[in-house]
Amino acid sequence: GLGDKIVGVTENDDYPEEVLEIEKVGDYDVNVEKVISLKPDLVLAHEILGDNFANVREQWQNSGITVLVVPDAASFADTYETIEMIGKATGTLEEAEKVVAEMKETVESFKEKAANVTEKKSVLFEIDPTPFVAGSNTFLQEILDMINGENVVGDMEGWPQVDQELLIERNPDVIITTYGDYIDGAVDQVKARDGWQDVNAVKNNEVYDINSDLVTVPGPRLVEGVEEVAKAVYP
């Protein structure tokens, strides 16, 4: 409910649509003076900016701007904490708690439905076509756990780049790409790969693309990501 209070966003912000009309202040290389000129009461700065951000933060604070460093959420639990933290900082804790409660309720409903799955499907998440994939300790792994799916690279941590031969050998039932918004025909490219014709997902036409933001950006839309993955894996 604070959309009309936002005075500046980064070059990368594209949701909701209204942010496209708001003043841009840079990306990782933020325009310090521009932010000061917009006279915000509060700057939300992501932890990923790291040590290089210390000088920038000091300049803003010296100009009377409160700076809140938002932790790099790596799980649904982290995301809930982040939403409530921002709610507290902006005087909207009650609204933030409502958002979190709704998210938790949606997640539980999918867990209940998925508990009835008798035959687990194995899934491969590709986050780029080289291919980099999603292993354990990622939002995508957590989503798979929620819907009772099996990650074919769950024995690898984070976002490894994996040899195609290994992926063919592991023979996923479902392949989900998350790069269709910037690579045309992502699904068709996977289906057309040499040597992949006997992989279950390709053979059974179970290759799908999902908007990356829904499954990697820690915010309220993560539950939409759970729904999209669930629909793809267990229609």
Side-chain angles (χ1 to χ4, degrees), residues 106 110 125 140 143 147 174 176 208-212 214-215 221-235:
T106 303
F110 280 106
F125 285 112
L140 289 164
I143 289 171
I147 65 158
V174 180
I176 297 175
Y208 308 96
D209 186 76
I210 289 177
N211 182 332
S212 173
L214 299 182
V215 289
R221 287 196 296 165
L222 273 178
V223 291
E224 291 180 41
V226 178
E227 181 173 12
E228 291 301 308
V229 173
K231 282 180 181 175
V233 179
Y234 300 117

Side-chain angles (χ1 to χ4, degrees), residues 32 36 53-65 67:
V32 180
I36 292 172
F53 178 64
N55 182 46
V56 173
R57 180 179 182 177
E58 188 178 352
Q59 289 181 65
W60 285 338
Q61 289 174 327
N62 288 342
S63 299
I65 299 168
V67 181

